[in-house]
């Protein structure tokens, strides 16, 4: 199952990115997070599950240099073929000045949006049992993905994990859109006490899953990738490496990934990712503060000998 056929997004479509002034049409508190709906027809007409948007922070008098990137929760295409009237939904955790500014926006405010950016989740070309794994609000893009998979005849189980019940996102929606739902929390306040990696082996084996899709903290993605490989499934993971520009220019989100030729290269999470095969990410070089360059990577500095 390590070479399960998938349907990639065409290079032409992946390269199409727009910038527009999106109107905030709805904002709702959901547990520890803010759920925002933006009128962004250009992005809505192009986006696929797994891609993200980069939002400018601040206005003319308070602008911040770096954008903030968020996975697309779902889109509603507009009535016309060019997506006119479409909306884009994101989920934001207000942890710093930038995200607090975004979550404080009011309905009818305008936000500068660039998107859709990045590589989408590849989809199976034939029906196959799938397991989706989300950590915290990292589960946001998985519900749109679940719908796409079920339209292709795939059975879909989802595992949602978080530190506590208020940090979970989408449990009720998961029960409506998936064939099976498992919830874990670190403190036991909801579902099974423990981590998603504790329950994942049983879910994979019970369904005979061939693909595991995951989005969440990097430590969780590493564990999910290890479990999937041990149980004969392909992991497709949307990484959460810190992104500064969000469009492939600044090179701050690079991480080591093994290519089809077996060589490790430092690639940009925002453009070549954020979705990678879990068994090709060099997790040994991913630290809590970011990725380091493995000594065997293409272009890595070599020790000078005299």
């Amino acid at each position: 199952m390590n070479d399960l056929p998938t349907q990639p997004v065409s290079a032409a479509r992946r390269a199409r990115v727009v910038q527009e002034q999106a109107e905030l049409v709805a904002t709702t508190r959901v547990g520890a997070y803010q759920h925002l709906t933006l009128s962004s027809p250009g992005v809505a007409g192009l986006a696929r599950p797994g891609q993200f948007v980069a939002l400018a922070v601040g206005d003319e008098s308070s602008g911040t240099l770096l954008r903030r990137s968020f996975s697309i929760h779902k889109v509603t295409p507009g009535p016309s073929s060019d997506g006119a009237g479409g909306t884009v939904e994101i989920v934001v955790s207000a942890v710093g000045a930038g995200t607090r500014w975004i979550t404080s926006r009011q309905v009818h405010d305008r936000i500068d949006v660039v998107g859709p950016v990045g590589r989408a989740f590849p989809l199976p070309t034939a029906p196959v049992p799938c397991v989706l794994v989300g950590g915290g609000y990292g589960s946001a893009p998985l519900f749109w993905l679940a719908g796409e998979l079920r339209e292709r005849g795939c059975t879909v189980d989802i595992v949602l994990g978080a530190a506590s019940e208020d940090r979970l996102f989408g449990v009720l929606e998961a029960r409506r859109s998936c064939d099976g739902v498992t919830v874990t929390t670190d403190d036991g306040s909801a579902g099974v006490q423990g981590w998603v990696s504790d329950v994942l082996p049983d879910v994979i084996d019970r369904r005979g899953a061939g693909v595991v899709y995951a989005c969440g903290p990097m430590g969780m993605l590493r564990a999910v990738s290890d479990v999937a490989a041990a149980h004969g499934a392909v992991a497709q993971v949307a990484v959460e490496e810190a992104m500064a520009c969000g469009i492939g220019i600044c090179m701050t989100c690079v991480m080591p990934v093994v290519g089809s030729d077996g060589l490790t290269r430092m690639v940009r999470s925002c453009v070549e990712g954020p979705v990678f095969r879990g068994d090709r990410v060099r997790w040994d070089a991913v630290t809590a503060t970011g990725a380091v360059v493995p000594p065997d990577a293409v272009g890595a500095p070599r020790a000078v000998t005299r």
Side-chain angles (χ1 to χ4, degrees):
M1 300 297 290
N2 287 336
D3 293 308
L4 187 75
T6 56
Q7 181 178 15
V9 177
S10 69
R13 180 166 191 164
R14 191 167 59 239
R16 295 177 65 186
V17 178
V18 299
Q19 180 177 4
E20 57 191 352
Q21 294 295 315
E23 180 185 359
L24 182 62
V25 296
T27 177
T28 307
R29 189 72 177 173
V30 180
Y33 312 115
Q34 199 73 20
H35 180 179
L36 284 73
T37 302
L38 301 164
S39 175
S40 185
V43 176
L46 296 171
R48 300 298 303 156
Q51 293 183 297
F52 65 93
V53 289
L55 276 56
V57 178
D59 50 32
E60 294 180 354
S61 62
S62 63
T64 300
L65 177 61
L66 302 179
R67 290 177 177 263
R68 301 296 186 270
S69 298
F70 304 97
S71 295
I72 299 173
H73 174 39
K74 61 177 68 171
V75 303
T76 302
S80 61
S81 59
D82 63 358
T87 60
V88 174
E89 299 176 41
I90 61 172
V91 179
V92 181
S93 177
V95 296
T99 46
R100 286 196 297 269
W101 182 90
I102 292 170
T103 57
S104 68
R105 298 306 90 198
Q106 303 298 309
V107 171
H108 303 309
D109 284 352
R110 297 277 177 172
I111 302 177
D112 187 286
V113 177
V114 170
V117 186
R119 176 177 176 264
F121 287 115
L123 302 175
T125 55
V128 62
C130 300
V131 178
L132 281 51
V133 185
Y137 72 111
S139 64
L142 299 180
F143 304 101
W144 184 16
L145 173 64
E148 295 277 320
L149 292 170
R150 295 189 76 183
E151 285 183 4
R152 286 164 169 74
C154 300
T155 56
V156 177
D157 280 67
I158 192 167
V159 181
L160 301 175
S164 55
E165 184 174 16
D166 67 311
R167 309 300 295 185
L168 292 164
F169 178 80
V171 176
L172 292 179
E173 185 172 358
R175 289 173 178 154
R176 292 192 297 265
S177 61
C178 299
D179 298 294
V181 181
T182 304
V183 174
T184 71
T185 50
D186 296 359
D187 63 2
S189 54
V192 178
Q193 183 169 11
W195 296 348
V196 295
S197 54
D198 297 332
V199 301
L200 184 57
D202 178 65
V203 177
I204 294 175
D205 292 343
R206 176 161 34 89
R207 283 291 189 186
V211 190
V212 177
Y213 296 94
C215 184
M218 297 293 271
M220 186 203 85
L221 298 182
R222 178 176 187 170
V224 167
S225 297
D226 290 343
V227 171
H231 290 259
V234 175
Q236 297 284 353
V237 299
V239 301
E240 288 193 344
E241 191 69 13
M243 299 176 187
C245 73
I247 55 175
I249 296 174
C250 69
M251 306 296 288
T252 59
C253 66
V254 293
M255 59 185 296
V257 176
V258 180
S260 57
D261 58 2
L263 298 178
T264 297
R265 294 176 176 83
M266 300 301 290
V267 302
R268 297 164 296 178
S269 301
C270 63
V271 178
E272 282 79 28
V275 177
F276 298 103
R277 271 186 54 152
D279 60 352
R280 292 188 176 167
V281 176
R282 288 285 299 270
W283 298 110
D284 59 310
V286 178
T287 71
T289 57
V292 298
V293 181
D296 60 337
V298 174
R302 297 289 186 262
V304 177
T305 57
R306 296 182 183 274

